[in-house]
Amino acid sequence: MKCIVCVKQVPDTANVEVDPVTGVLKRDGTQSKLNPYDLYAMESALGMKEQQGGTVDVITMGPGQAREALKECMCMGADRAGLISDRKFAGADVVATSYTLSQGIRRMGEYDLILCGKQTTDGDTAQVGPEVAQWLGIPHASNVLEIRETGEGRIRVRMNMDGYEQIQTMDLPCLITMDKDVNTPRLPSYKREKELREGYLREFSLTDLEDRDESHYGLSGSPTQVERIFPPEKGECREMFDGSPDVLAHRMYHVLRETKFL
């Protein structure tokens, strides 16, 4: 089984500044981590590799600092890594991001299965994975809770459909997005880190991709534009009430009515 895992480096804090002009997150100088949902996808791919053989490649789109996320995946057990990085990719929405990833995946070579986290903690759209599948012209399944079986050119998965579960069988190659808590991701191996050699990382810029039309990437290739984005206001005001349970319940009811929560 040849697997490709799409990952993303996300801010490791809730206090992220937003560029008031472009509406995109300011990532430079911000502490980052591997997107938590992607860890479940990584563990699923590595588990299949251990059980069935094959390879696990990992790919991301981002600035140079995203190499650290790829290195972490290599230390978990990935075989190769690919970084899609170019200033022309900056400011991409989900459409441009998924298209860029699909172009990078084509450069990585043949694959049987692409795995993604269900969503990222900095965007929460849950759209990039399915859109990558659409660009590649392959079937996909989202919110996967379990990979039940693979073999004879097919995969069967169990999906969370918000209220019920669904079993779906698809032909390979295909793409799946993994839900949270489907497994326990392993820790990166210090031994593997020491054994890393030059050549494990391939880097792709716009000129390395099959489609070199700048209008398909970044802000230019994004049909959705952010009109306004801002962090939520943080309030410090609070009220304290004393009294019996009946008095407190009555007072709370009126507070909820006054603030239009009821």
Side-chain angles (χ1 to χ4, degrees), residues 198-255:
E198 295 292 333
Y200 78 85
L201 176 63
R202 302 172 65 188
E203 297 193 31
F204 308 116
S205 64
L206 178 62
T207 57
D208 297 311
L209 304 182
E210 183 180 313
D211 180 5
R212 301 180 180 87
D213 187 339
E214 293 185 21
S215 66
H216 295 162
Y217 302 93
L219 283 172
S220 299
S222 300
T224 58
Q225 299 292 328
V226 177
E227 182 175 322
R228 179 171 176 253
I229 188 170
F230 55 91
E233 295 182 4
K234 296 181 179 180
E236 297 293 335
C237 62
R238 58 183 176 179
E239 292 183 68
M240 300 291 290
F241 304 113
D242 293 318
S244 66
D246 288 341
V247 171
L248 292 175
H250 184 73
R251 181 59 182 142
M252 182 60 69
Y253 171 77
H254 282 286
V255 169

Side-chain angles (χ1 to χ4, degrees), residues 95-113:
V95 174
T97 296
S98 60
Y99 184 70
T100 307
L101 281 171
S102 71
Q103 287 286 305
I105 288 170
R106 294 180 191 276
R107 292 288 284 117
M108 290 294 287
E110 296 182 357
Y111 58 87
D112 298 305
L113 179 64

Side-chain angles (χ1 to χ4, degrees), residues 255-262:
V255 169
L256 292 174
R257 286 295 299 271
E258 291 169 3
T259 53
K260 298 183 179 181
F261 282 100
L262 292 177

